[in-house]
């Protein structure tokens, strides 16, 4: 076998010239410097991720790992691979490309929306369950009040309405017959039995829930939620507040309920909710036996009226006439002071003595002492406290009346004057002087205002026909003057009038003269038989109000009765005054409507029955006592010279179209003939 020659391996560098190698090295170097111009080593270093403690720990852990081979065929350690993966995002950002974002966490799917009917049904079932638990054993479920309030936080108006009504019913049933005082720190530290502790926890939970419920009612009644349904939620909230005030007036937070109602009464718009709140206060005044609820209500009411400058509805002032102190209080009061009557003035009838042994007398004495202590604890203290409450209430009432008189607010004059007439028996005599002066000023200003209104009506008659103001108050100055006269005589009648006139030197001649001068103008008044509310029918809705409904004719007859037939001294009326008023009334009977004519002729029949001999000459032409001429428009009653005339109007009234008027005239003439 022949041996082949061994092959020699060709080396790379061999056969190349030294010039070619040098040229290639220069090209590589130029390319390197050219690409290096675009490098930013400082920015790359700044954007490089920092190595923390975790990376150091991880590096120490990866040091023991074996190197791996990558796709390029090189061997790298695990640390180098992680560094490359971590820096991919940075590189992409430096190239202007967005790094791949991590996958966002998908939100949990929302629960399916429950229909409104289903929500209302579930709320009804839940509230019925809670109400049943509280009805069966309320002390075992103190957290039920909070659960009911939480149901009422729903977004649905129907559930809110149901919640406040259910809470009202629950609280009305579970509220005890006493006020709950807050637990003091000393009491909280005491050792209590299990039953007492459970009761206190329940009471505190109930009071807290009740307070939050009243705050909710106040917010809803104020119109915090807009509701255009037939029965808005504000009306329901006011109904709940009225019901609670009348059902549990003794319980905590009575003042908060009063504020809700009186805030509604402060508006001039009289709607169903307004009447509802007013009726609730009337019921509170009628059923108040302690005096404390009425005093709080009157205090809040007077503050509200004063803050609004007495720009309130007339029915608000008439609430004062529903107070029980009007018939129960026995003292006298003014704006600032109250005088109480001594109970010792009432003498008890003597009882026949019974024979008792010494032992029986001793036992009876001990029994009386025990009864006295019990009575003092139960009744005597409460009676004194009640009298004190009524005294404070009466002062606030008189202060409001007097302010309204001073301010001369037209739409409140009727209610104010009738209220003073009703409270006349409770007014202190020291208050009489100021009150009568205020009434006189009111009559004077009513005359001036009437003259101004007549002048303005003549000048602006055409302009007023074009304008239509539905809320304008129609003022009747003649009615105000009659109310002042009625009030003045009622004040005097409510006191010991004879002593009051002698002690205080009261002179009512101003009111008598003013009434005499206005008789003829009143007889031609077309609204003589219309009441105060009837006069406002064209401008307002008729209200269920029994105060200040008397017609002008009724007021006129009351004034004439006080002047011609005074109850305190009926025989002391002067003949000139009797004759002057009789002549004016007979002249006025020809002009007034038939019902008013019957009333005036009936009053004259009473006057003839009492003072027939003093004025009988007016019906007989041959027995005239006066000389000169009769002056019906004289400035004074005495200056009219009534005895110089005769009552010739009777002949015309005998031919009146109304049969009842003709009969009244015949009865009047019969009484004249019977006088000897």
């Amino acid at each position: 076998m022949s041996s082949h020659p061994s092959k020699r391996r060709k080396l790379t560098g061999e056969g190349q010239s030294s010039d070619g190698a040098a040229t290639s090295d220069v090209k590589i170097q130029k390319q390197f410097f050219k690409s290096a111009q675009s490098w930013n080593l400082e920015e790359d270093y700044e954007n490089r991720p920092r190595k923390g403690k975790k990376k150091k720990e991880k590096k120490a852990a990866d040091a023991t790992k074996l190197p791996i081979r990558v796709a390029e065929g090189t061997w790298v350690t695990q640390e180098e691979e992680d560094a490359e993966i971590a820096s991919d995002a940075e590189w992409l950002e430096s190239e202007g490309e967005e790094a791949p974002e991590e996958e966002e966490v998908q939100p949990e799917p929302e629960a399916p929306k429950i229909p409104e009917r289903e929500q209302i049904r579930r709320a009804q079932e839940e509230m019925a369950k809670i109400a049943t638990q509280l009805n069966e054993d309320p002390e075992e479920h103190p957290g039920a009040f909070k659960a009911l309030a939480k149901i009422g936080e729903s977004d649905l108006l129907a559930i809110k309405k149901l919640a406040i009504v259910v809470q009202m019913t629950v609280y009305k049933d579970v509220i005890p017959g006493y006020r709950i005082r807050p637990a003091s720190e000393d009491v909280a530290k005491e050792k209590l039995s299990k039953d007492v502790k459970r009761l206190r926890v329940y009471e505190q939970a109930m009071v807290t829930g009740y307070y939050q419920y009243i705050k909710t009612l106040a917010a809803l009644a104020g119109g915090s939620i807009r509701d255009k349904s037939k029965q808005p939620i504000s009306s329901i909230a006011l109904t709940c507040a009225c019901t609670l005030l009348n059902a549990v007036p003794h319980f905590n937070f009575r003042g908060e309920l009063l504020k809700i109602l009186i805030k509604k009464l402060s508006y001039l718009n009289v709607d169903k909710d307004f009447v509802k709140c007013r009726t609730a206060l009337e019921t509170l005044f009628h059923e108040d036996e302690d005096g404390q609820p009425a005093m709080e209500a009157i205090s809040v009411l007077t503050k509200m009226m004063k803050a609004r400058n007495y720009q309130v509805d007339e029915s608000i002032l008439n609430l004062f006439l529903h107070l029980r102190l009007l018939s129960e209080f026995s003292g006298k009061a003014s704006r600032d002071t109250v005088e109480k009557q001594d109970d010792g003035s009432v003498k008890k009838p003597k009882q026949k003595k019974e024979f008792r042994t010494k032992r029986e007398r001793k036992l009876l004495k001990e029994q009386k002492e025990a009864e006295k202590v019990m009575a003092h604890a139960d009744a005597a203290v409460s009676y004194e406290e009640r009298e004190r409450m009524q005294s404070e209430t009466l002062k606030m009432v008189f202060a409001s009346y007097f302010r309204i008189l001073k301010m001369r607010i037209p739409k409140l004059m009727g209610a104010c004057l009738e209220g003073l007439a009703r409270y006349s028996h409770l007014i202190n005599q020291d208050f009489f002087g100021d009150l009568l002066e205020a009434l006189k000023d009111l009559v004077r200003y009513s005359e001036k205002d009437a003259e101004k209104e007549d002048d303005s009506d003549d000048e602006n008659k055409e302009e007023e026909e074009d304008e239509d103001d539905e809320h304008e108050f129609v003022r009747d100055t003649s009615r105000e003057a009659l109310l002042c006269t009625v009030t003045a005589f009622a004040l005097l009648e409510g006191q010991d009038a004879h002593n009051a006139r002698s002690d205080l030197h009261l002179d009512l001649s101003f009111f008598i003269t003013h009434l005499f001068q206005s008789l003829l103008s009143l007889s031609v008044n077309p609204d003589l038989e219309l009441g105060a509310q009837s006069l406002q029918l064209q401008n307002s809705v008729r209200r269920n109000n029994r105060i200040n409904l008397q017609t002008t004719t009724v007021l006129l007859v009351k004034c004439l009765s006080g002047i011609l037939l005074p109850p305190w001294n009926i025989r002391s009326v002067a003949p000139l005054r009797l004759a002057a008023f009789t002549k004016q009334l007979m002249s006025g009977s020809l002009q007034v409507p038939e019902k008013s004519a019957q009333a005036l002729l009936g009053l004259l029949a009473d006057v003839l029955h009492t003072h027939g001999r003093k004025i009988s000459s007016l019906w007989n032409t041959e027995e005239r006592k006066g000389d000169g001429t009769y002056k019906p428009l004289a400035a004074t009653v005495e200056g009219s010279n009534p005895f110089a005339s005769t009552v010739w109007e009777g002949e015309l009234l005998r031919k009146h179209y109304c049969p009842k008027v003709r009969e009244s005239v015949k009865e009047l003439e019969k009484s004249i003939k019977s006088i000897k």
Side-chain angles (χ1 to χ4, degrees), residues 520 578-588 604 618 630 632 642 645-649:
L520 294 178
L578 289 170
F581 275 95
T582 301
K583 176 62 178 174
Q584 290 278 55
L585 290 178
M586 290 298 293
S587 301
L604 286 176
L618 292 175
Y630 172 60
S645 178
T646 57
V647 181
W648 52 265
E649 293 86 358

Side-chain angles (χ1 to χ4, degrees), residues 104-116:
E104 295 182 357
V105 180
Q106 294 290 337
E108 296 182 0
E110 296 182 358
K113 189 175 181 180
I114 304 174
E116 290 188 5

Side-chain angles (χ1 to χ4, degrees), residues 411-451:
K411 61 182 179 180
L412 298 182
M413 280 295 101
C416 178
L417 293 172
E418 185 161 352
L420 286 173
R422 295 278 191 93
Y423 280 96
S424 60
H425 64 287
L426 299 177
I427 296 178
N428 189 357
Q429 291 183 2
D430 298 336
F431 189 44
F432 261 47
D434 296 337
L435 198 54
L436 288 179
E437 288 298 325
L439 293 176
K440 289 179 183 179
D441 292 341
L442 185 60
V443 173
R444 295 190 190 100
Y445 279 104
S446 65
E447 292 177 352
K448 294 180 181 179
D449 293 342
E451 294 176 359

Side-chain angles (χ1 to χ4, degrees), residues 44 97 103 130 276 319 447 463 499 506 513 539 591 644:
D44 295 343
E97 299 178 4
E103 295 181 2
I130 296 172
K276 190 189 307 176
L319 288 173
E447 292 177 352
E463 297 180 0
N499 296 333
L506 297 177
T513 304
N539 294 333
Q591 312 298 331

Side-chain angles (χ1 to χ4, degrees), residues 121-188:
R121 188 186 64 80
R122 292 182 183 180
Q124 288 176 339
E125 293 178 355
E126 185 68 21
M127 286 187 288
K129 179 181 177 181
I130 296 172
T132 305
Q133 293 175 352
L134 287 172
N135 190 23
E136 292 175 354
D137 192 359
E139 295 181 7
E140 288 292 335
H141 305 88
F145 302 105
K146 191 174 182 180
L148 278 176
K150 191 174 182 180
I151 295 175
E153 296 175 358
S154 173
D155 296 333
L156 295 179
L157 278 178
I159 297 179
K160 284 182 179 293
K161 294 178 182 179
L162 286 172
I164 61 176
V165 173
V166 170
Q167 289 182 81
M168 181 269 295
T169 308
V170 167
Y171 283 119
K172 189 174 68 171
D173 293 339
V174 303
I175 283 177
Y178 55 87
R179 290 177 65 88
I180 298 176
R181 295 180 296 177
S184 59
E185 296 180 358
D186 298 336
V187 176

